[in-house]
Amino acid sequence: MKNDIPLFLLNTPSSHPPKRGGGKINISYIDKSIESFAGILKESYIQWESASKTGFFHELDTRIKVVFWLFLIVIISLKKELLPELGIFITVFTLVVLSRINLVKFYKKIFLLGFIFGFLISFPSSLNVITHGEVLFPIITLSKPYDFWGYHIPEVIGFTGEGFSVVAMLTLRVLNSLSISFLILYTTPFPEIIKALKVLKVPDTFLIIISLAYKYIFIFARIVVDMHLAKKNRLVSAVKSAEARNWVAGRIAFIFRKTQLKCDDVFKAMVGRGFSGKIKLYQYQKIMGRDWIVGFFLFTLGLLFLWV
Amino acid sequence: MEIFTVEGAYYTYYNKFPAVVDVSLGIRKGEKFAVIGSNGSGKSTILQILAGLLFPSQGKVFFYDYELSEESLKERDFLRSFRERVGFVFQDSDIQLFCPTVMDELLFGPLQLGMEKSEALERVSEIMQMLKIENLRNRPSYMLSGGEKKRVALGSILTMNPEVLLLDEPTSGLDPKTQVFLLELILALNEAGKTIVIATHDLSLVDEFQFKVAVLSEEHRIEKIGNAEEILKDEDLLLSVNLIHEHIHYHGQTAHTHIHSHYLFHKH
């Protein structure tokens, strides 16, 4: 074998010691995007870890949690008064505290998303141009009111009390929907949530498709991260954006091929285990007494909000 | 002269699963070094730390006298001199092969180093001859068998002529003929002066090539560092790290139990 080794491999690659300096290399946006794939994997573990802890809501039967979630989302959308929305907010907050979830981490995400998708989006409706009412804080005074295309621009433009109520209402609705959804995600492993959708009469075939898709997102995210490391290992300088885009395009094609192959393999594995066109999933155990009691209490509370 | 020095390194995946716990080791220039341990003990993570692909959350890693860190590998000159000296062959060849054809794959490294195209082509041709893959020149990587992929993956690193070869489970999933070919090649490269570092749980490899060995426990710590003979004789150590086990089997009609490593301690 030694005689077959090319001469260049017998030479020391560089007689100079490793050098430092030479200026910094900027991390490309593609590198950053791939790093965020690693973030997906990390997030999934954090979700799984947090959902596997013990706590009040963690221990509740997933079917009750899923039905309660749907019930509460409907109530949140139906109610048009601030009081029941505030009540729902306090209820979910209490459940979060009882479930011993880190309040700062939990509400940091919710308030950020609530601010963007609730407050910022609805904020313009606090102006009397959109929501009519008594102007509390005038901002512009025009020489006269204008009417065009069916729109009325009043002489004094400003924030109205009614407008503030609308903004508060919409923001609270978003915050409440996010809090209950995140509470479920923080206290229930994702596969359990998918399985619990059975109570909502979601077909088994659809559930198995969601499970497989969820699983393979992580498998392929890991492959993408590994491919990135393999490439990084062979790069000696920064890569031009065009080259990086080419690489990404090539890798997308590779992932697509790999997906097709995996799809064939999964199908063969299913056939090998008796699959003949109809999927039958494992049925849940009976709901325990404690779960019925907690479920009854939660649904009564929901009805109370609906009635108020 | 130590080419790699690891001092008290820790690495944790997703801030939850420890992969490397308080690992310290030194690898000398021209050495054959094996990191052995059972599945999930952290062998691959240690190799990726040495390759500057992962960075320990605690502790330090040095390449010669230079610290390997995310910051130092952003320095243009250091990145270049490090990557041209250290080649990493992944366990899964699929993720390593990303060019359209085998030829492009082998040319990628030399072209990155700024080599003249004629010289790069000459290198590629010699490597293809050595690895016996000339017939695969224009084939895309997805049309190769497992053994062929492994040869191409190794070739793609060798065309850069690295000083150190980091090989993660180099023989896993290969047929016996390809395994022998690859191992003879690795040995010849070491005799030619390359530093070889492998991660494996195959004790026959360690014995055959008389590596210097670092044994990882299932708690991701280094249990012992020593020469192959010393490590392979220590049955208690190998049992405790799950690299050998007791098993029952039949000789004719008689069943008996003994320590079993799938290679060395299969004594009767």
Side-chain angles (χ1 to χ4, degrees), chain A residues 8-11 13 16 18-25 42 45 232-236 251 257, chain B residues 14-15 48 66 71 74-78 81 83 85 88 94 96 98 105 112 142 161 192 194:
Chain A
F8 81 88
L9 275 180
L10 302 175
N11 297 331
H16 307 293
K19 277 198 292 185
R20 295 297 298 262
K24 290 271 176 189
I25 290 171
K42 194 174 165 183
Y45 276 99
K232 203 170 151 185
N233 172 55
R234 281 162 71 190
L235 284 178
V236 295
R251 293 296 77 195
R257 254 192 329 265
Chain B
Y14 316 122
N15 298 329
Q48 294 199 16
Y66 304 100
E71 277 311 299
K74 279 183 194 160
E75 290 172 22
R76 217 172 285 277
D77 288 348
F78 186 58
S81 50
R83 293 280 176 235
R85 285 172 157 87
F88 187 105
D94 256 341
Q96 194 164 352
F98 49 75
E105 208 64 71
Q112 294 297 307
Y142 59 86
N161 188 21
K194 310 258 178 242

Side-chain angles (χ1 to χ4, degrees), chain A residues 189-207:
Chain A
F190 196 74
E192 286 289 307
I193 299 176
I194 295 172
K195 249 168 87 178
L197 292 175
K198 260 176 99 79
V199 281
L200 302 177
K201 299 287 171 207
V202 177
D204 283 356
T205 312
F206 188 69
L207 294 183

Side-chain angles (χ1 to χ4, degrees), chain B residues 25 27 31-37 43 47 167 196-200 202 205-207 210-216 222 224-226 228 231:
Chain B
L25 53 87
I27 298 169
E31 199 163 46
K32 287 173 285 183
F33 196 97
V35 182
I36 64 170
K43 307 182 291 285
L47 246 61
L167 306 155
I196 307 286
V197 185
I198 67 163
T200 186
D202 184 351
L205 258 182
V206 175
D207 180 47
Q210 291 296 305
F211 283 96
K212 183 175 175 188
V213 186
V215 185
L216 277 176
I222 290 203
K224 193 173 180 180
I225 297 181
I231 297 290

Side-chain angles (χ1 to χ4, degrees), chain A residues 107-163:
Chain A
Y107 279 106
K108 207 167 100 183
K109 245 181 205 171
I110 286 165
F111 282 126
L112 177 71
L113 292 170
F115 177 75
I116 297 167
F117 297 104
F119 182 76
L120 279 187
I121 287 178
S122 62
F123 187 65
S125 59
S126 59
L127 291 167
N128 62 340
V129 182
I130 296 166
T131 310
H132 298 293
E134 192 191 336
V135 176
L136 295 180
F137 301 105
I139 43 171
I140 303 168
T141 308
L142 303 171
S143 53
K144 57 174 182 147
Y146 293 92
D147 283 291
F148 63 94
W149 289 349
Y151 289 102
H152 173 73
I153 310 287
E155 192 179 338
V156 179
I157 297 173
F159 299 108
T160 63
E162 290 80 352

Side-chain angles (χ1 to χ4, degrees), chain A residues 167-230:
Chain A
V167 173
M169 185 70 206
L170 285 172
T171 309
L172 262 177
R173 274 186 180 171
V174 173
L175 285 177
N176 282 341
S177 307
L178 284 169
S179 329
I180 185 67
S181 307
F182 272 85
L183 177 63
I184 303 275
L185 281 174
Y186 270 64
T187 55
T188 324
F190 196 74
E192 286 289 307
I193 299 176
I194 295 172
K195 249 168 87 178
L197 292 175
K198 260 176 99 79
V199 281
L200 302 177
K201 299 287 171 207
V202 177
D204 283 356
T205 312
F206 188 69
L207 294 183
I208 201 102
I209 290 169
I210 303 178
S211 308
L212 280 173
Y214 181 74
K215 184 181 152 195
Y216 280 99
I217 285 172
F218 297 113
I219 291 180
F220 287 116
R222 193 182 291 272
I223 292 176
V224 168
V225 173
D226 285 346
M227 284 187 315
H228 170 62
L229 288 182

Side-chain angles (χ1 to χ4, degrees), chain B residues 6-20:
Chain B
V6 182
E7 291 174 357
Y10 286 77
Y11 189 85
T12 310
Y13 284 103
Y14 316 122
N15 298 329
K16 178 166 171 61
F17 304 109
V20 168

Side-chain angles (χ1 to χ4, degrees), chain A residues 1-2 4-27 35 38 41-43 45-46 48-49 222-223 226-239 243 247 250-251 254 257-258, chain B residues 14-17 48 53 63-64 66-67 71-72 74-81 83-88 90 94-98 105 108 112-113 123 126-127 130 132 142 156-163 181 184-185 188-189 191-192 194:
Chain A
M1 177 55 81
K2 199 174 179 183
D4 296 338
I5 293 184
L7 269 179
F8 81 88
L9 275 180
L10 302 175
N11 297 331
T12 315
S14 172
S15 52
H16 307 293
K19 277 198 292 185
R20 295 297 298 262
K24 290 271 176 189
I25 290 171
N26 289 326
I27 298 174
E35 273 170 21
L41 294 169
K42 194 174 165 183
E43 280 290 314
Y45 276 99
I46 290 170
W48 167 76
E49 189 201 351
R222 193 182 291 272
I223 292 176
D226 285 346
M227 284 187 315
H228 170 62
L229 288 182
K231 184 174 185 239
K232 203 170 151 185
N233 172 55
R234 281 162 71 190
L235 284 178
V236 295
S237 60
V239 187
E243 283 171 18
W247 180 77
R251 293 296 77 195
F254 168 78
R257 254 192 329 265
K258 194 127 181 148
Chain B
Y14 316 122
N15 298 329
K16 178 166 171 61
F17 304 109
Q48 294 199 16
L53 299 172
F63 177 63
Y64 288 101
Y66 304 100
E67 190 179 347
E71 277 311 299
S72 65
K74 279 183 194 160
E75 290 172 22
R76 217 172 285 277
D77 288 348
F78 186 58
L79 175 75
R80 188 193 156 90
S81 50
R83 293 280 176 235
E84 72 173 332
R85 285 172 157 87
V86 180
F88 187 105
F90 284 71
D94 256 341
I95 59 160
Q96 194 164 352
L97 306 176
F98 49 75
E105 208 64 71
F108 183 88
Q112 294 297 307
L113 294 174
R123 270 193 183 192
E126 286 176 319
I127 289 290
M130 176 182 79
K132 301 184 174 46
Y142 59 86
S156 70
I157 297 300
L158 288 180
T159 49
M160 293 171 85
N161 188 21
E163 210 174 311
F181 172 82
E184 282 182 359
L185 176 64
L189 288 169
E191 280 169 8
K194 310 258 178 242

